[in-house]
Amino acid sequence: SNNNNNKSNNGAGLKTSAPSPSPSPSANKKPMSAIDLVHQRVLNATLYRISEPHAKLDNLAFKALDSCLRECFKFEIQPMCTLGNVNASKTIALVGDSHAVYFATIFSQLAKRHNVKLYSLARGSSPWFAVGAPREVNLKRFRPICADYQPVLLQRLKDLKPDIIVLHSGDGIFGRGVTKGDIVSALDIYKPLAKDKIVVIGDNPTYSNGDRPQECLDREPDTRKCVMNENLWSLTQEITDDCKAAGVPYVPVRDFFCTDSHRCPMQIGKFSTMIDYSHSNPYYYATILDALDERIWPFLS
């Protein structure tokens, strides 16, 4: 291991805030939850033009990510990152690809809030379900780093003995010939490596036309023209069913990006929701920290 890369800061200036408060409720009206507030903001972004320019986020990956997490995109195996409350006794290990690397920045803040040490074992191009497939299959589907990393990942988990393992990867990658057998096999491999349980956190939407939110928002004066149809709901349901069959909780987050009618605004408030066609924007995640807490932490307590 390399202690220089085991860092605990939560990102360069990445600030979190709760969603805009709801109007004062009447005596007979229950206040809206943080999740309900985000749902309202998502819906409003599809109906009304946002006058505030979106924040320019050049070189976002290196601005938002912890210095250790930045190393996770290199094409050699790097040490894990220690985040959250590094002195806590309860431990969570986060496993996944580049989607999990971006998610680790905000997940670290939740871990600190709940007095948990977070080990990020996420690596670019290394989805969590790759452990369920032979090396030669992973070499065909993904980059060599993925195939090379699997035995290292499993050994790290055996050494760490985390209380909980959280799995998070891009759902869009499931189009690369990944089967239900791969998912179930991977879950069976992870189960004995966690003292308590494993949890799968779902992914943000993927846009079918490949339009980058920043480009659309720069091009269109009306933000409502940058509301896209999500194209991966059927895949999400398939993954949910696979997890249910294996007795593993699947925690969705897509409703923080899209309405019930599958309409997904590219800008909500000040920030674009995505940094490209498939990766979520850590700065947007920071604005919905309380809703993420309400949704995710009950599965981790």
Side-chain angles (χ1 to χ4, degrees), residues 62-82:
F62 292 95
K63 286 185 178 181
L65 295 179
D66 172 276
S67 58
C68 178
L69 292 172
R70 298 173 195 172
E71 301 294 312
C72 298
F73 291 102
K74 293 184 177 180
F75 291 101
E76 61 264 9
I77 295 172
Q78 298 289 328
M80 67 186 176
C81 302
T82 306

Side-chain angles (χ1 to χ4, degrees), residues 75 77 135 138-139 143-153:
F75 291 101
I77 295 172
R135 174 181 170 81
N138 285 327
L139 283 172
R143 294 175 179 172
I145 181 64
C146 175
D148 294 339
Y149 184 52
Q150 300 315 306
V152 177
L153 168 64

Side-chain angles (χ1 to χ4, degrees), residues 37 46 49 61:
L37 285 169
T46 69
R49 177 180 176 273

Side-chain angles (χ1 to χ4, degrees), residues 77-130:
I77 295 172
Q78 298 289 328
M80 67 186 176
C81 302
T82 306
L83 307 165
N85 185 345
V86 298
N87 297 314
S89 58
K90 181 175 180 177
T91 57
I92 293 178
L94 175 65
V95 177
D97 58 10
S98 56
H99 295 244
V101 176
Y102 283 116
F103 186 70
T105 298
I106 203 66
F107 197 30
S108 174
Q109 297 193 35
L110 289 176
K112 183 171 284 189
R113 176 184 283 190
H114 291 277
N115 194 30
V116 170
K117 182 188 294 185
L118 174 65
Y119 296 113
S120 178
L121 281 69
R123 296 220 37 88
S125 304
S126 302
W128 61 263
F129 44 81

Side-chain angles (χ1 to χ4, degrees), residues 4-5 33 57 79 83 124 153 164 168 192 238 242 257 266:
N4 290 332
N5 279 332
S33 68
L57 300 171
L83 307 165
L153 168 64
I164 300 173
H168 179 69
E238 181 178 316
D242 293 346
F257 293 83
M266 290 186 174

Side-chain angles (χ1 to χ4, degrees), residues 192-209:
L193 299 177
K195 290 181 183 177
D196 187 4
K197 57 187 171 183
I198 62 175
V199 175
V200 176
I201 296 180
D203 194 35
N204 52 259
T206 296
Y207 296 127
S208 56
N209 67 351

